[in-house]
Amino acid sequence: MRIEILGTPFNGLGRPPHWENPADGLRHAQLVRRLASTGHSVTDRGDLAGFRFQGVRDPQTGIRDYRSWVALSQCLSEKVGDMIDREAFVLLLGGDCSMLVGILAAFANKQTPVGLVFLDGHADFHSPETSPTGDPADMELAVLTGRGPHEITHVAGKYPLLEEKNVVVYGIRARDGIDRSPIRVYDRQQMAERGIHAVVTEGLDRFTRNGLPLWLHFDVDVIDPQLMPVMYPEPEGLTVAETSTFLQLVNAGGRTVGMSIACYHPDLDLDGSAGVRLVNLIADVLISRA
């Protein structure tokens, strides 16, 4: 399989990429070499550049770095669209979950329906009014499904960017207002009680029946913070083994067209062990598609 990698090292914390670059952190953990060793053809296209998030709230919308988020989403949509056209498996290294708007805008601009499998410790379903920080990564799932300022919800040629019926959320411990939506949710407790295989099979049933391609979004804070240092830890997350099982089950059908990795912080990974765990997880998920 041909894999194209793109870094999107931006976040609502206002940290510029030269201070902390999560994409480079995973590169230093030998991601490219590890993927290539499994038989994939891997092209690293570097990082999306030219954007500066400063952590300042926009006075009109209440969203931090709102104009930068819109511009980043438009640029990322073009880049991802080109990768889709080359029929590559798209692997995006963030940054934070706000990159999902640009990713899904690429599919919307191509009039290509897609299902989103959203694995995260937080539902990211705040509004600008309910978010304590105004961080885009507090609210990107709400924006994707049509809730939010006009310019970002209409960033592509389709509104909403994603229909609620085409989203399934897994692993959350913080609900962030998602209960006001009909989106299917399997929180951490349900995954533990029912088993990962059961909730994946049930949650993806509609996608399977309709033959939808899938985008897999993996925020690493879904993993227990004792195993994965993150900026906003929620206790009692998934183990590494559970995460691996989940990712492999989602990918097993061969309909996953891309994957985004969010919220890895090299500055918090003092000995580099968390980065190595992530690289191994990613490689193990994709090895069956070599």
Side-chain angles (χ1 to χ4, degrees), residues 66-219:
Y66 177 62
R67 297 298 167 190
S68 294
W69 187 22
V70 172
L72 176 71
S73 299
Q74 292 169 333
C75 183
L76 184 56
S77 172
E78 294 177 7
K79 297 287 187 182
V80 172
D82 290 342
M83 297 162 86
I84 294 170
D85 287 344
R86 291 191 290 268
E87 299 184 345
F89 183 92
V90 183
L91 182 59
L92 296 189
L93 310 178
D96 64 27
C97 300
S98 63
M99 63 179 166
L100 268 177
V101 172
I103 295 167
L104 273 298
F107 290 95
N109 280 328
K110 293 181 179 299
Q111 302 297 312
T112 301
V114 66
L116 174 62
V117 180
F118 186 89
L119 180 67
D120 199 318
H122 309 80
D124 297 349
F125 212 79
H126 278 293
S127 68
E129 293 74 29
T130 64
S131 167
T133 63
D135 189 339
D138 279 355
M139 60 190 81
E140 85 285 341
L141 190 54
V143 164
L144 284 170
T145 52
R147 300 166 173 85
H150 183 275
E151 193 172 4
I152 191 69
T153 57
H154 291 74
V155 75
K158 176 178 180 290
Y159 173 86
L161 291 172
L162 196 63
E163 296 182 48
E164 291 169 323
K165 65 183 180 180
N166 289 341
V167 186
V168 60
V169 171
Y170 289 97
I172 60 171
R173 283 96 77 201
R175 303 191 75 84
D176 295 347
I178 200 169
D179 294 327
R180 65 178 183 266
S181 161
I183 290 173
R184 287 171 294 173
V185 175
Y186 298 90
D187 62 23
R188 172 64 177 115
Q189 184 175 351
Q190 289 172 295
M191 293 178 76
E193 291 175 350
R194 297 187 55 194
I196 292 174
H197 191 280
V199 297
V200 169
T201 301
E202 181 179 285
L204 270 60
D205 177 65
R206 181 184 177 280
F207 301 155
T208 302
R209 285 186 283 109
N210 292 345
L212 276 182
L214 299 179
W215 185 272
L216 175 55
H217 180 68
F218 171 30
D219 184 330

Side-chain angles (χ1 to χ4, degrees), residues 186-265:
Y186 298 90
D187 62 23
R188 172 64 177 115
Q189 184 175 351
Q190 289 172 295
M191 293 178 76
E193 291 175 350
R194 297 187 55 194
I196 292 174
H197 191 280
V199 297
V200 169
T201 301
E202 181 179 285
L204 270 60
D205 177 65
R206 181 184 177 280
F207 301 155
T208 302
R209 285 186 283 109
N210 292 345
L212 276 182
L214 299 179
W215 185 272
L216 175 55
H217 180 68
F218 171 30
D219 184 330
V220 304
D221 69 15
V222 76
I223 299 175
D224 193 275
Q226 296 185 46
L227 303 169
M228 183 62 58
V230 293
M231 192 61 63
Y232 300 108
E234 293 287 340
E236 300 181 359
L238 297 179
T239 67
V240 173
E242 288 172 323
T243 306
S244 178
T245 297
F246 176 90
L247 295 174
Q248 291 187 56
L249 284 171
V250 172
N251 197 52
R255 290 179 294 109
T256 308
V257 295
M259 182 178 180
S260 41
I261 316 294
C263 297
Y264 169 61
H265 287 283

